[in-house]
Amino acid sequence: MTAPTLEIHLSEEQMTEALRTDARVGLTASPKWLPPKWFYDARGSELFEQITELPEYYPTRTERELLRASAAEIAAVSAPQILVELGSGSSDKTRLLLDAMTAHGTLEQYVPQDVSPAALGSAIEALSRDYPELQVHGVVSDFTDTLHNLPTGGRRMIAFLGGTLGNLVPAERAEFLASIAAVLETGEQLLVGVGLVIDPAILVPAYDDAAGVTAEFNRNVLHVLNNRLSANFEPDRFSHVAYWDADNEWIEMRLEATADMTVHVGDLGLTVAFGTGEQLRTEISAKFTLDGIGRELAAAGFDVEQTWTDADERFALICAGRR
Ligand code: SAH
Ligand code: AVI
């Protein structure tokens, strides 16, 4: 077995500094907002794993079935030597790709990349145990600013699974897809999983489950602010909101103040007032049409090569080649 390696492009200090900037901007904006990457400390990553098991949260199991059905074909057509995965989390579903690509005989290296050192650390340990022939090289970084460190020396595929593309706002998405295209060679591929626009009666409960796990995941961002920036949020005094914005075709997660509150963010020397009912936006989760995502990929420099969807058309897995 080759021991896994871990490359850190975002130290704890740099992460705290980035959070300082985001908190100062987002908590003084009107309406208030925070970027979703701050959910994922060790507890947040664990809560996300629990979400993936919920009966209401269809995306993970739907994408897993799509991967199960398509992995051998993807391995045969793409034959990558290096699989890079952005926002890899536990890399659990990715094992279907790793199985197919190692069986196909081409894959030499797997490079999972995530902003959560906790999720990445345990993933790379388990993967290098279970795939002893594979070089596993984890990268702790923000995928919106370190793509230029992509490994070279073999044919590459970049996977971006789970629907995480939908957590970027449209302008960020366009920039992000273009930056992926910029680091790939002609013919190399992007494998992207996206949630599709479906009936809000199914969509909304996926983001507002009966057991309250998503609510706890949402509130976790306040724990992160308390821990990293010495803030004094009382998370239980914020209620979880999942709102389907039909015009923008995205779910918005928000935290709503249940009383008038004054919160102090110690590290910033910042005092923030919340009125009763005031909402803080913590995430968008955009859903796509096949035409819409096709256009976004084309605009970024990709040609859609193959698309897999489930029978209910809730989720799509798209393999796109760099033009
Ligand atoms: N791909 C996995 C995990 C999805 S959860 C799956 O499909 O189940 C989203 C993952 O992206 C989390 O592990 C989170 O830590 C990571 N993430 C979110 N924003 C990020 C960013 N800006 N840079 C790097 N990783 C990010
Ligand atoms: C990681 N991302 C794709 C998830 C989503 O569905 O947007 C995060 C999540 N938010 C609430 N539940 C899960």
Side-chain angles (χ1 to χ4, degrees), residues 10 35-41 44-45 48-49 52 57 59-60 63-64 67 85-94 110 113-117 119-120 139-146 159-164 167-168 176 193 217 283 315:
L10 199 53
K37 70 180 171 198
W38 300 114
F39 288 132
Y40 301 95
D41 65 349
S45 292
F48 176 75
E49 289 307 310
T52 66
Y57 194 74
T60 305
E63 188 180 47
R64 180 177 289 113
L67 285 165
E85 182 176 5
L86 306 176
S88 49
S90 68
S91 300
D92 189 41
K93 279 175 274 127
T94 318
Y110 172 54
Q113 177 280 348
D114 205 285
V115 78
S116 168
L120 195 58
V139 180
V140 178
S141 67
D142 183 329
F143 52 56
T144 57
D145 58 32
T146 50
F160 193 38
L161 302 177
T164 307
N167 297 139
L168 303 178
F176 177 67
F217 173 73
E283 182 184 70
F315 204 90

Side-chain angles (χ1 to χ4, degrees), residues 219-282:
R219 285 186 201 102
N220 195 54
V221 73
L222 303 182
H223 291 284
V224 169
L225 288 167
N226 287 350
N227 296 338
R228 271 202 190 267
L229 300 187
S230 304
N232 63 355
F233 279 97
E234 294 178 73
D236 290 345
R237 299 181 77 199
F238 286 82
S239 58
H240 168 68
V241 177
Y243 169 75
W244 171 240
D245 179 336
D247 293 335
N248 286 310
E249 297 185 322
W250 66 47
I251 286 273
E252 239 178 77
M253 292 214 307
R254 303 170 181 174
L255 288 167
E256 182 174 309
T258 56
D260 288 355
M261 276 177 250
T262 301
V263 176
H264 190 64
V265 186
D267 268 22
L268 298 179
L270 179 70
T271 299
V272 187
F274 285 86
T276 307
E278 187 177 349
Q279 296 183 337
L280 162 68
R281 188 184 85 189
T282 51

